[in-house]
Structures are given as C-alpha cells and as structure tokens.
Amino acid sequence: MPLMRASPLPWLAVGLVGCAGPPSLGSPAHLVDLTHTLSPRFPYIAIGDLTFPIRITEISSFEKAGVYSNKWELTEHNGTHIDAPSHFAAHARGLDELQARELFVPAAVIDFRAQANADPDALVGVADVQAWERAHGPVPARAAVLLWTGWESRAGSQTTFVNAGPDGTMHFPGFGEAAVTFLVSERQVSGIGTDTLSVDRGRDTGFAAHRALFGADKWALECLAHLGDVPPVGATLIVGAVKVEHASGGPARVFAVW
Amino acid sequence: MPLMRASPLPWLAVGLVGCAGPPSLGSPAHLVDLTHTLSPRFPYIAIGDLTFPIRITEISSFEKAGVYSNKWELTEHNGTHIDAPSHFAAHARGLDELQARELFVPAAVIDFRAQANADPDALVGVADVQAWERAHGPVPARAAVLLWTGWESRAGSQTTFVNAGPDGTMHFPGFGEAAVTFLVSERQVSGIGTDTLSVDRGRDTGFAAHRALFGADKWALECLAHLGDVPPVGATLIVGAVKVEHASGGPARVFAVW
C-alpha cells in the first residue's frame, strides 16, 4: 500500500468527506415544501361548468358540536397536483397505480424565468435541456424535470396566473413536445413538473406535451411552489400524491429534500 | 501518526463502513407505502348524513373528449388521512398550518396485535409504551408513534373494520388518554397514528385521546396500511398531507423510508 505509507491523510480526508456527504433520511439538511395552499381562491383552468375551484363546506363546528370538520368538492386537477398517465392516454395507469418508487426521485430544476419573462408563450425545447446539461451534467435517470418559470408570483390572481388574451387564449410558458420526447426517451425521466397551470403552454390546446408524456407512461406535476428554493441538481423530490382509485390525477403534497 | 503508520487498514474500514451507513435521500434502501387506495368502498365512520364514502363522478372521458377526469366529493376524514389539531381543539392549527418538518419525522411502531386480537376494546396505556421502550429504547424526540393492531386485514369490509355491536357501539382498539399525554409531555412526539378508523377506541365516544393530542397541538394519522412492513424503530415517516386552507384534516400519502 504505497500511497497509504507515503501519505495517509488524503485517505482519511476522503473518508470523512464521504461520510458527511449524504444527509440522513431522518433529518435532511434541507426540506422545502413545493405545495401551494389550496383554497377556493386558487387559480384553475375554467372549462364551462366542468371545472371549478374547490368548494369547502363545514359539516360540523367546534362551537356547536365540539368537533370541526368539512366536506370538499373538487376536480382532480385543482391546486398543486399530479396528473396520472390516464389523464390523456387510453388504457393508461391511474393515480392509484403509480408505484412509491416513482414518487421518490431526483429533481432537476430548469431556470426558465428569463425566457418566460421575455415571452409568456416561451417553449422549452431540446436545446434548453441540453444547455442545462452543459451547466449541471446529464439529467439523472428517473429524475423529475421541473420548470421554474417564475409564474408562482401570479398565483394570487386567477387573471394573471391564467393570463388570457382578449380572445380567451391563455398565455403561459410550457414544455415542447420534442423536449418531452427527449426526456422520456433519452433521459428516462419519471415525470416532469411546472409552476404554471399546465406542462403544455397555455396556448397549446392540442396538449402535445401531455400526450408525449402520458403516452410514455410518466406523470406530471402542475402548480408547484418554491422551485426557486431548490438547487438545479442534487435534491430528491417526494411526491405525496393522494391515492384515489382510477383517478386521472389529484392533489399532492410535494417536498424537496437534500 | 503512530496508528496510521502501524496499521492503516482499520481507518480505511471505518471510513467505508461509515459511508455505507446512512442511506442516501435519493434512493432509500427501503420505501414502504402506508397508504390505502381510497374508493367508495373504503370503510368510514357513519354519522347520519354528515359523513359518506368518497363520491367520484366522471366529468370528461377519454373516449368522448380525448381527456379523462373526475370530480370528487369527500369529507376531510376519508381513507388514509391526517387529522389537524383544529379537528377537536378551539383556535388550534388547521392542516395548512402544519410545517413540513412536522411531517418528516422518526417512526416508532408498536406491535399491538396480540392485545387487539385478544380484545377489540384493548387500550394502549403508558405501560405499553414503556414495554416498547424496554425493547427498543426511548421513543425518539419528534417521533410519530404508530399503532399496529392488525386491523388492516379488515379494511375490505365496512362491517368488520367498524366492528359495531348490536347496539351500534364500535369495537376497535386505540390509544388511552394517559398514553397520549405521556407521549406528548414526556416524549415530545410530533403525532400518533393507527391502522384503525380512529386513534381513540371505537367505543370511546368522548374522544379523550384526540383531545389530549390536539390540545397539545399534535397531529393524528388514521387508516394506515402496511405498518407490519416497518421496523419498530429506525424508519422515517413522510406524511404527504394535502394542504387545504383551514382544513381539519385530509387525505395523505404516507411513506416510511429507512
């Protein structure tokens, strides 16, 4: 062991650094809640009377009955939520069929604020993913690729979050079909996410990004919060998706830890 | 550095063992989903017309519209769910006010199957907690103490899960008020949980365990699954509770990792 005899200190240093590296599961050094509070005021995509904000109705009050409880009426795509593959793909898996391991994945955060600020119709292309990889290394296998557009600052207002033009067309940034196909085919991601209402751009009513994603049996997260508090690479995403039978999606509590 | 010169191998071995010890956040060695699938057939506590199983109504089908989606009507206490302190305590915190760190805690699992099997009205006392501690060490600070009664095997049936007698009194095991007071006062737990419908026994309609817990500003998990797959100590519980404004509780996706 010539190296050890010549200089044992580097080995010791490597050992200590290596041990200090991975934080323990019980108390991660960093824990960020990526979830908006869902309320009747949270923005949503209006589609006639098919969609609506969550309706919360008190069924028992502490003052009258000593116990406080409500009932809710909501769609599967209100607030910070996950879409299951069955949302846009025939015979695809529902929310209850996603496995726990698919909801516990590396996070890759793309800062798309400059592009979104310059153009609310900005579209993530393969070149944007490749630019991110030049800076941060390859998108990890099984990752969730999360789009940080800065749209979160608009979430207090239905008008500015949806950002519809005079003809009703919505304008917010999103993933292009080619980028999604690249991520599922070449990078084996588990899913993608965004801080806007949809992984497709607001104006893309053909939902090409959704179809490419769900056709590949992956999931999507929408209306994420606090993506700016997560490093571009190195965090683990934990998706606490409610588990409802045959659901096309549902509210999720989403954490990033590292 | 006489030790290094005399024998560098033990240092190297310590370094390697130390590094292999804590599993990384990105890929825990063990990941268990403690969540039941919520469906209209999942058991619930019937209270007149105030409570009901989840109602799932299709609002768009893939066959007709190219997109599949449902709406839900449910109470805040359907299926595998969390109770917030506001459920049974005036002016207490709602579900949206629980902090992420409170939902990311050490798990302590008490095997109470023998007692529950012998007596469906079995009550966890301080002595039961102390017996667990003699075997597994002190309940960790900030822990969630989870009661494994074996009731999960009944979850396919409203009749056997609720287990009501001829007079309507429900019979399933639960936490006693003294045990809860001990856990919140002497062990600083974050919350408690059970695989039954309630942390109180079925027959305890005064909800003393709930009141002791929520009066101390802690949370409860009910209708947990797969507690038998989690070690008595050493796992981290991750509570993916939906985040709804002013909620008294709500569905949660619950994971154990270690």
Side-chain angles (χ1 to χ4, degrees):
Chain A
M1 306 188 51
L3 183 58
M4 291 299 286
R5 277 191 214 115
S7 170
L9 277 175
W11 285 89
L12 182 59
V14 166
L16 290 174
V17 169
C19 291
S24 94
L25 285 164
S27 59
H30 302 277
L31 169 56
V32 176
D33 189 348
L34 304 185
T35 319
H36 284 286
T37 296
L38 180 57
S39 79
R41 301 176 307 286
F42 195 83
Y44 70 107
I45 297 179
I47 307 174
D49 58 2
L50 290 181
T51 62
F52 48 87
I54 187 171
R55 296 166 184 150
I56 302 173
T57 307
E58 186 175 278
I59 58 177
S60 177
S61 76
F62 185 79
E63 291 70 23
K64 289 186 187 167
V67 54
Y68 166 60
S69 191
N70 304 297
K71 65 178 179 180
W72 306 338
E73 192 176 13
L74 74 165
T75 74
E76 291 173 342
H77 305 273
N78 274 149
T80 300
H81 70 278
I82 188 170
D83 290 356
S86 65
H87 189 31
F88 274 86
H91 313 300
R93 290 187 302 162
L95 188 52
D96 52 329
E97 295 175 276
L98 298 181
Q99 301 300 304
R101 288 270 169 196
E102 294 176 78
L103 304 175
F104 215 97
V105 299
V109 180
I110 297 178
D111 182 353
F112 203 60
R113 289 175 300 160
Q115 297 91 322
N117 195 45
D119 177 9
D121 293 325
L123 193 70
V124 173
V126 175
D128 295 297
V129 177
Q130 290 170 330
W132 185 93
E133 290 192 322
R134 280 194 296 275
H136 305 292
V139 171
R142 300 179 55 252
V145 174
L146 308 175
L147 192 61
W148 178 27
T149 74
W151 230 246
E152 175 179 355
S153 64
R154 302 169 177 241
S157 159
Q158 172 76 10
T159 301
T160 59
F161 203 61
V162 169
N163 198 34
D167 65 350
T169 299
M170 299 185 292
H171 296 281
F172 52 78
F175 286 89
E177 179 181 8
V180 172
T181 299
F182 176 80
L183 289 171
V184 299
S185 305
E186 305 295 328
R187 294 297 179 268
Q188 290 76 46
V189 298
S190 295
I192 63 175
T194 179
D195 53 8
T196 72
L197 279 160
S198 173
V199 292
D200 272 287
R201 288 192 299 189
R203 69 182 237 181
D204 288 342
T205 53
F207 302 107
H210 276 91
R211 293 184 200 286
L213 185 74
F214 299 145
D217 199 32
K218 309 305 180 187
W219 51 252
L221 284 168
E222 292 164 340
C223 302
L224 289 168
H226 302 148
L227 286 177
D229 294 337
V230 183
V233 69
T236 292
L237 194 77
I238 300 171
V239 184
V242 300
K243 195 172 176 184
V244 173
E245 190 181 47
H246 304 321
S248 73
R253 186 66 170 264
V254 186
F255 300 116
V257 293
W258 69 100
Chain B
M1 310 194 44
L3 182 59
M4 292 302 285
R5 276 192 214 112
S7 169
L9 277 175
W11 285 90
L12 182 59
V14 167
L16 290 173
V17 169
C19 291
S24 95
L25 285 162
S27 59
H30 303 276
L31 169 55
V32 176
D33 189 348
L34 303 185
T35 320
H36 284 287
T37 296
L38 180 57
S39 79
R41 300 176 307 286
F42 196 83
Y44 70 107
I45 296 180
I47 307 174
D49 57 1
L50 291 181
T51 61
F52 48 87
I54 187 171
R55 296 166 183 151
I56 302 173
T57 307
E58 185 175 278
I59 57 177
S60 177
S61 76
F62 186 79
E63 291 69 23
K64 289 186 189 168
V67 54
Y68 166 59
S69 190
N70 303 297
K71 65 178 179 180
W72 306 337
E73 192 176 12
L74 74 165
T75 74
E76 291 173 341
H77 305 272
N78 273 151
T80 300
H81 70 279
I82 188 170
D83 290 356
S86 66
H87 189 31
F88 274 86
H91 313 299
R93 290 186 302 163
L95 188 52
D96 53 328
E97 295 175 275
L98 298 181
Q99 301 300 304
R101 288 271 169 194
E102 294 176 79
L103 304 175
F104 213 96
V105 298
V109 180
I110 297 179
D111 182 352
F112 204 60
R113 289 175 301 160
Q115 296 91 324
N117 195 45
D119 177 9
D121 293 326
L123 193 70
V124 174
V126 175
D128 295 298
V129 177
Q130 291 170 332
W132 185 93
E133 290 191 322
R134 280 193 296 277
H136 305 292
V139 171
R142 299 180 55 252
V145 173
L146 308 175
L147 192 62
W148 177 27
T149 74
W151 231 246
E152 175 179 356
S153 65
R154 302 169 178 241
S157 159
Q158 171 76 12
T159 301
T160 58
F161 203 60
V162 168
N163 197 35
D167 65 350
T169 299
M170 299 184 292
H171 296 281
F172 51 78
F175 286 89
E177 179 182 8
V180 173
T181 299
F182 176 80
L183 289 171
V184 300
S185 305
E186 306 295 327
R187 294 296 180 269
Q188 291 76 45
V189 298
S190 295
I192 63 175
T194 180
D195 53 8
T196 72
L197 279 160
S198 174
V199 292
D200 272 288
R201 289 192 299 189
R203 68 183 237 181
D204 288 342
T205 53
F207 302 107
H210 277 90
R211 294 185 200 285
L213 185 73
F214 299 146
D217 199 33
K218 309 305 179 187
W219 51 251
L221 284 168
E222 292 165 340
C223 302
L224 290 168
H226 301 148
L227 286 177
D229 294 337
V230 182
V233 69
T236 292
L237 194 76
I238 300 171
V239 184
V242 300
K243 195 171 176 183
V244 172
E245 190 180 48
H246 305 320
S248 73
R253 186 67 171 264
V254 186
F255 300 116
V257 293
W258 69 98

